[in-house]
Amino acid sequence: MILAGGALALAGATGFLLPGRRSFAGPTLTAPQALAQATAGTLTLIDIRRPDEWADTGIPAPAHPVDMRAPDFEAALTRIMMGNRDAPVALICARGVRSMRMAARLQAAGFTNVIDVPEGMLGSSAGPGWRARGLPVVRP
């Protein structure tokens, strides 16, 4: 019993999620909703994947590519948002796992209007994904 509880405590402490649990309780958008809002200029869409992923699938046409592993990720995001940490910002990754975790991290860092695109570029249980929907991409 102690081992199981310790394993659960360790899972929570290391950032791993148990099946069915989300670490981000904020708003979400479908890929078409994110496209519409980014195109209208009502939110900033950030593709947080790696450069090799951008090369493989392209980048959502209205998105800014910012590798979430970059040591200056938050500073780069703040620059893109012209210093406004209260402006709407939506995050997209491949399948919604990294965007969910990064959304929670940005909320903790003081970004107040973070939105997740949980279906991602490749699809997830949240939806078919940007590519399967035939939404526009640009090549890096």
Side-chain angles (χ1 to χ4, degrees):
M1 195 65 121
I2 293 172
L3 179 59
L8 291 177
L10 179 59
T14 59
F16 292 105
L17 296 176
L18 300 173
R21 305 259 327 252
R22 291 181 55 84
S23 65
F24 175 69
T28 64
L29 292 173
T30 65
Q33 291 169 328
L35 171 63
Q37 291 186 32
T39 301
T42 58
L43 70 76
T44 301
L45 181 61
I46 306 293
D47 185 338
I48 65 168
R49 299 174 301 146
R50 299 181 316 263
D52 63 299
E53 292 176 286
W54 301 330
D56 285 345
T57 65
I59 300 163
H64 300 269
V66 184
D67 186 339
M68 67 178 274
R69 302 168 308 153
D72 67 337
F73 177 83
E74 289 177 24
L77 182 57
T78 301
R79 280 191 302 276
I80 291 167
M81 297 175 65
M82 296 183 282
N84 186 356
R85 288 177 169 232
D86 297 323
V89 59
L91 307 180
I92 190 168
C93 65
R95 298 191 183 275
V97 175
R98 291 173 286 177
S99 61
M100 174 187 56
R101 290 179 181 154
M102 185 57 71
R105 177 177 145 192
L106 290 176
Q107 276 186 329
F111 289 83
T112 63
N113 202 348
V114 184
I115 304 159
D116 184 19
V117 183
E119 66 185 273
M121 288 296 287
L122 304 178
S124 72
S125 63
W130 194 279
R131 288 193 44 182
R133 291 179 183 271
L135 301 177
V137 297
V138 295
R139 292 290 171 180

